[in-house]
Amino acid sequence: MDDRFNTIAGWALFGGIVALGLSSLSGHYFLADKEHRPEKMGYAIEGVEEEAAAGGEKELPLATLLATGDVAKGEAVFAKCKACHVAAQGGANGIGPALYGIVGKPVGKSVAGFAYSADLAGHGGNWDFATLDSWLKNPKAFAAGTKMSFAGLAKGEDRANVILYLNSLGSNLPLPAAEAAPAAEAAPADAAASDAAAEAAPSEAAAQ
């Protein structure tokens, strides 16, 4: 009886040792017991990195965006602002000041009876195209103490269109002249044309 018990106990102990050994080997094989985090978490979603990279492209100058902008599109984007601002002529102040004829008026002082924040009232200057662009891009960066909670418009095209819309509301100031394309951009095309002409010259001479 004792021999049979010892045999069973021996096999049980052997099975436990084998199981422990296999567990250790599998842990090393699959790196399940490593303490450090993976070098790169998660997995790439196709198309997302490309969109982020595209967002880093250099923005066109404001004058160019204004020259190619669209008042109707600006009115559509301005729909985001209607919860706080009235754009109609003679409109009353709401959470924000009425904006009819705002372009060209003094910053933070243009609408009588509206309590502007101290930061905006003390900013100085007028609501010209460049100032409006800066304000619409990031109000908090423009005037840290502003009461306006709107985060801003990231796209230059959207800002330019809104500015065009606001300018059409009783201001109608002349737009800044769009910048001409740098001469350096035309240089490669000119060089290519010169090279093509130089290559064609020997052929023409041989034909004669």
Side-chain angles (χ1 to χ4, degrees):
M1 187 70 177
D2 290 340
D3 291 341
R4 185 177 179 184
F5 175 80
N6 290 337
T7 301
I8 294 172
W11 278 109
L13 180 61
F14 176 75
I17 293 172
V18 170
L20 181 63
L22 290 174
S23 174
S24 177
L25 287 173
S26 66
H28 286 290
Y29 181 79
F30 292 106
L31 298 179
D33 57 349
K34 63 182 179 179
E35 297 180 359
H36 61 279
R37 290 163 62 88
E39 184 177 346
K40 188 173 183 179
M41 298 294 290
Y43 56 90
I45 300 176
E46 205 169 319
V48 171
E49 292 186 3
E50 289 79 2
E51 289 180 11
E57 291 179 1
K58 186 176 180 181
E59 203 167 74
L60 291 173
L62 176 60
T64 302
L65 293 174
L66 289 171
T68 57
D70 189 311
V71 173
K73 289 181 179 179
E75 184 176 7
V77 176
F78 185 79
K80 300 177 182 180
C81 313
K82 287 184 177 179
C84 300
H85 295 281
V86 173
Q89 185 173 11
N93 295 327
I95 297 174
L99 297 180
Y100 185 86
I102 193 70
V103 183
K105 297 289 183 64
V107 174
K109 301 173 183 176
S110 55
V111 180
F114 185 80
Y116 291 96
S117 66
D119 280 2
L120 197 59
H123 186 277
N126 296 329
W127 287 121
D128 56 24
F129 299 111
T131 303
L132 278 169
D133 182 61
S134 180
W135 165 257
L136 290 171
K137 185 174 184 178
N138 191 333
K140 290 290 185 183
F142 184 92
T146 180
K147 299 174 183 177
M148 191 164 85
S149 58
F150 184 61
L153 298 172
K155 291 184 178 180
E157 293 87 347
D158 287 344
R159 298 195 302 274
N161 289 335
V162 169
I163 292 170
L164 288 172
Y165 172 62
L166 293 175
N167 191 44
S168 73
L169 303 176
S171 297
N172 299 311
L173 299 183
L175 301 179
E179 298 178 14
E185 294 182 3
D190 294 342
S194 299
D195 291 343
E199 290 176 3
S203 300
E204 292 175 0
Q208 293 175 358

